[in-house]
Amino acid sequence: MTLDAILDWSVDIALIMVILSLAIAFVRLARGPSLADRVVALDMMTVTIIAVCGVLAISTGEIAMLDVALVLALVGFLATVALARYAERRDASGKEAADE
């Protein structure tokens, strides 16, 4: 077995595992009983899509996929921060309404 065959086999297995992880995160996003579960699932989906970009960059040799992964990581970070701030404000307004 050559080194190229091992690399191809490893990339195929990694892609299958990452896509399976993406499917599991999507199920949690759809079913998640609370907002926190959905935020974590969305963040996990962002990370797995970044992993797909990395695996595809290795598989195809296309360096531009790494740029896509970097931009997606920055956007995912900002989205997570924004959702966390929204959840914090939502909880604070619920506590104020309960106090009155």
Side-chain angles (χ1 to χ4, degrees):
M1 193 169 219
T2 66
L3 189 59
D4 289 335
I6 292 173
L7 180 64
D8 290 339
W9 184 74
S10 299
V11 166
D12 291 340
I13 296 233
L15 193 59
I16 290 169
M17 292 175 69
V18 169
I19 289 174
L20 181 65
S21 172
L22 187 65
I24 291 169
F26 183 75
V27 169
R28 176 49 53 193
L29 180 69
R31 296 181 74 198
S34 70
L35 179 64
D37 290 331
R38 289 189 169 107
V39 169
V40 170
L42 187 63
D43 192 42
M44 182 177 168
M45 287 177 72
T46 304
V47 170
T48 54
I49 291 171
I50 293 167
V52 167
C53 290
V55 171
L56 288 178
I58 293 171
S59 176
T60 63
E62 188 68 35
I63 303 287
M65 292 299 291
L66 297 176
D67 294 336
V68 171
L70 182 64
V71 170
L72 188 58
L74 293 171
V75 170
F77 170 73
L78 291 175
T80 302
V81 170
L83 286 170
R85 289 193 66 181
Y86 169 74
E88 181 182 4
R89 287 185 179 168
R90 183 177 159 198
D91 288 342
S93 66
K95 288 179 183 175
E96 289 174 5
D99 290 342
E100 293 176 1

